[in-house]
Amino acid sequence: MDPAPLDMFNRDPSSINAHVQVGFEDVIAEPDGIHSPQCVWKLANKCFTCSRDIAYTLFALCYGVPYAFFWGCEFAYLSFLHIWVITPCISMYMVWLKSIKIIYGACVRTCCDPCFEACGRCFSDIRVTNA
């Protein structure tokens, strides 16, 4: 299976990580009535953004490739399990359940049907009339 070409601009086309888009305003906020000077607010914003971007770049450089290898192996193992273990087990259980369904249905029909027929016949002669 050939992998799809990489989109270097939109790296989250399915928006699976939309919840981790954290900006300065999402973390630090000053309520009305108490504000730091504008120069402090602007500098704090730049420090936050810069440190976040640098730290993410360092983490991606150090751990990105090993984690990509790990998750690739993990999903390969998961696929292997589904193809060679889980799906055949489910198919086997479905065959067993079909046999059990036939036996259970025969038992219910043998034991319960006579009682239900008797009750039906007892109550079939009841007539309700408005007086």
Side-chain angles (χ1 to χ4, degrees):
M1 176 162 76
D2 292 332
L6 287 177
D7 184 354
M8 296 305 288
F9 297 105
N10 183 11
R11 296 188 183 187
D12 190 9
S14 301
S15 297
I16 61 173
N17 286 317
H19 61 284
V20 292
Q21 293 178 353
V22 179
F24 179 73
E25 299 82 14
D26 299 325
V27 177
I28 300 173
E30 292 181 330
D32 289 336
I34 186 160
H35 289 254
S36 58
Q38 284 188 359
C39 62
V40 171
W41 189 250
K42 288 180 182 179
L43 185 60
N45 185 0
K46 291 231 185 266
C47 283
F48 176 87
T49 306
C50 244
S51 62
R52 181 197 61 199
D53 294 347
I54 290 171
Y56 180 79
T57 301
L58 289 174
F59 286 130
L61 284 171
C62 292
Y63 302 111
V65 173
Y67 273 112
F69 177 78
F70 168 77
W71 285 115
C73 291
E74 192 69 25
F75 280 100
Y77 181 65
L78 181 66
S79 299
F80 170 81
L81 281 178
H82 271 272
I83 292 167
W84 293 101
V85 178
I86 295 171
T87 302
C89 282
I90 291 171
S91 297
M92 181 185 67
Y93 290 134
M94 294 306 287
V95 170
W96 277 105
L97 288 176
K98 193 176 265 188
S99 301
I100 291 170
K101 176 185 169 185
I102 292 169
I103 294 168
Y104 178 75
C107 290
V108 167
R109 281 190 306 276
T110 302
C111 298
C112 296
D113 280 359
C115 295
F116 293 147
E117 279 185 36
C119 289
R121 289 186 183 178
C122 287
F123 295 124
S124 66
D125 288 334
I126 296 177
R127 304 278 184 245
V128 177
T129 57
N130 291 336

